Amino acid sequence: MSKTYHNNYRRKKKKKWTFEIIIALAALLMCICAHSGAIDPRHFFPAPFLVLGFMPMLLVVLALLLAAVIWRRWVALVPILVGLLISLPAIKLFIPMNTSENKPPVPADTTLILDVMTYNVLAFNYNEPLLSNKPSATMKLILDANPDVLLLQEGSCRGLEWSEVPSLKPYISQAYARYPYRYQGTEGLSIMSKYPFTTVPLGESRQSHSALGYNREQTGYLARAYDMQLPNGKQVRIVDFRLQSYHLSFGKNMNVRVSPDEKPSALERMKRSFALRGNDAVTLRQAIDNSPANVIVCGDMNDVSTSHVYRVIRGKDLRDAWADAGQGYAYTFNRHGLKYRIDHVFYRGDLTALTAKRLTGGYSDHYPLMVSFDIDH
């Protein structure tokens, strides 16, 4: 009887602590995911996957927190609260909770506010037969939002002027009248602006490269800068960029491959993407270091907050406009069920982010971000 009693007691004790052990492991994994961006993926390939796992792990831990409270497992709250505290910097980047009380005052003079939008427009769906001849919902979204400056990625349509693109024709007169200052880059980095600017290519023009195993038959720039004169006399450099995609699907267009037989696996494509983004982030950061004090950096990073690429580009001097002026979790990529914010707006100098919004609509696989800046400083 005594031996049976002790065995049952040990089994009950082990079962009693199973929930706490699961919670401790979940909290530990969440902390690892929150800080894995400190590891260069070129040196440790799993690191970026851990970064992408942060938000799912945060949701798991919050669900476990609710379960612990309902079941009154108070000891289990300790690792959860410690894990949330350690992960707090990442939580603030992904889910900022800015309120009207802590936001800076909005200038009464609207000429002292600069609205900047960054938007990967997917070539205005020029390559999609079902959408290429329909009035562009993407351009309509832009015109309805009415930013002062629009930075585009994937804004080229096989070398055509925007006025020649069928889907844009219903809106092109209005767009050109509203934005008299424009530039179309062959690599897709383009701008539409209400204010004059000079174009400044960053780095050397180069042949495009891809994780799919081919070189595209075009040359372009990793990033492009625009030195702009604002209404209050202030000058600001706006940098537009787009980094390497994950390439979750393989390209079907044979004229962009080195060989029809070369087809890297999905895992190999992602490894190449991480490496290419890492190299390009260093190059872009060098260009930012050589830019004037007042700079706004916008673009499609194809990576999330807290990632290694994000850390490299942001450095110690740039501020994240969404973290400063956004509200809650907002994803900008809207395909394949991947709800991540991979488009970003950074800034430094005597500028202040007043509001940051994620807009929805359009036909692109991205949603745009629009940030209002106070330029009266």
Side-chain angles (χ1 to χ4, degrees):
M1 289 291 294
S2 177
K3 184 176 180 180
T4 302
Y5 171 80
H6 284 298
N7 287 338
N8 289 337
Y9 175 79
R10 281 195 292 269
R11 281 195 295 269
K12 288 180 180 179
K13 187 174 181 181
K14 182 179 180 181
K15 184 178 180 181
K16 177 182 177 181
W17 291 103
T18 299
F19 182 69
E20 283 74 12
I21 293 171
I22 291 173
I23 280 184
L25 292 175
L28 176 61
L29 182 55
M30 178 185 67
C31 294
I32 292 173
C33 292
H35 296 279
S36 291
I39 304 172
D40 191 332
R42 292 171 294 181
H43 302 151
F44 183 64
F45 173 56
F49 290 101
L50 292 170
V51 171
L52 293 174
F54 171 68
M55 280 304 300
M57 284 308 307
L58 176 61
L59 294 176
V60 168
V61 169
L62 292 177
L64 291 173
L65 171 62
L66 179 61
V69 172
I70 293 174
W71 296 337
R72 297 184 179 182
R73 306 291 284 267
W74 308 122
V75 175
L77 295 180
V78 175
I80 291 179
L81 295 178
V82 171
L84 290 174
L85 183 62
I86 294 174
S87 303
L88 190 58
I91 295 173
K92 288 182 176 180
L93 287 176
F94 277 96
I95 318 173
M97 299 305 293
N98 297 296
T99 64
S100 56
E101 287 76 17
N102 64 10
K103 286 186 178 180
V106 178
D109 185 354
T110 57
T111 62
L112 300 177
I113 299 175
L114 181 70
D115 293 329
V116 178
M117 176 186 283
T118 180
Y119 197 180
N120 182 322
V121 294
L122 196 62
F124 292 106
N125 306 101
Y126 178 77
N127 301 314
E128 300 180 53
L130 295 178
L131 297 174
S132 59
N133 290 305
K134 293 183 177 180
S136 174
T138 300
M139 180 56 79
K140 185 178 186 304
L141 172 62
I142 292 168
L143 293 174
D144 289 345
N146 192 29
D148 297 313
V149 182
L150 169 67
L151 283 306
L152 301 176
Q153 305 89 43
E154 297 193 43
S156 62
C157 304
R158 294 188 180 179
L160 294 179
E161 293 290 330
W162 290 320
S163 58
E164 300 174 301
V165 179
S167 66
L168 298 181
K169 287 184 178 180
Y171 305 106
I172 205 67
S173 296
Q174 182 182 358
Y176 280 9
R178 186 177 299 177
Y179 299 103
Y181 306 100
R182 301 178 299 274
Y183 181 86
Q184 257 186 285
T186 57
E187 71 287 282
L189 299 178
S190 307
I191 183 173
M192 302 174 74
S193 173
K194 297 179 181 179
Y195 307 122
F197 60 82
T198 56
T199 305
V200 184
L202 297 182
E204 297 295 328
S205 178
R206 60 186 184 177
Q207 190 173 30
S208 298
H209 54 289
S210 169
L212 295 181
Y214 62 77
N215 289 324
R216 297 179 187 271
E217 293 301 322
Q218 68 176 43
T219 58
Y221 291 91
L222 164 68
R224 193 178 292 277
Y226 309 95
D227 287 341
M228 188 169 295
Q229 186 78 29
L230 300 181
N232 66 341
K234 179 177 293 186
Q235 290 186 337
V236 62
R237 171 169 289 185
I238 303 181
V239 177
D240 186 19
F241 73 94
R242 179 182 178 271
L243 298 190
Q244 191 67 216
S245 167
Y246 282 94
H247 290 294
L248 297 177
S249 59
F250 193 75
K252 297 180 181 180
N253 191 348
M254 289 299 160
N255 64 8
V256 296
R257 298 189 197 172
V258 173
S259 165
D261 300 324
E262 184 174 354
K263 187 174 182 179
S265 67
L267 185 62
E268 179 61 26
R269 296 198 300 271
M270 294 192 77
K271 283 183 177 180
R272 294 182 185 182
S273 295
F274 292 139
L276 290 170
R277 276 205 300 277
N279 294 335
D280 288 345
V282 173
T283 303
L284 179 57
R285 182 62 234 189
Q286 292 171 347
I288 295 170
D289 289 337
N290 294 325
S291 293
N294 291 329
V295 63
I296 299 172
V297 182
C298 305
D300 173 11
M301 186 182 293
N302 271 310
D303 223 329
V304 299
S305 304
T306 74
S307 68
H308 182 74
V309 167
Y310 174 96
R311 293 168 185 242
V312 170
I313 294 175
R314 183 178 177 182
K316 296 181 179 180
D317 58 331
L318 295 181
R319 300 185 65 86
D320 184 328
W322 187 262
D324 287 352
Q327 178 68 40
Y329 186 79
Y331 59 90
T332 57
F333 187 71
N334 57 45
R335 301 281 173 91
H336 309 303
L338 301 175
K339 309 299 185 182
Y340 287 106
R341 180 166 60 89
I342 60 176
D343 301 87
H344 303 269
V345 179
F346 304 111
Y347 68 101
R348 74 175 180 214
D350 50 355
L351 304 163
T352 301
L354 298 172
T355 61
K357 300 177 182 178
R358 187 280 313 267
L359 307 180
T360 58
Y363 289 150
S364 176
D365 55 351
H366 288 243
Y367 291 136
L369 290 179
M370 190 161 80
V371 178
S372 296
F373 290 99
D374 180 357
I375 60 176
D376 186 31
H377 285 280

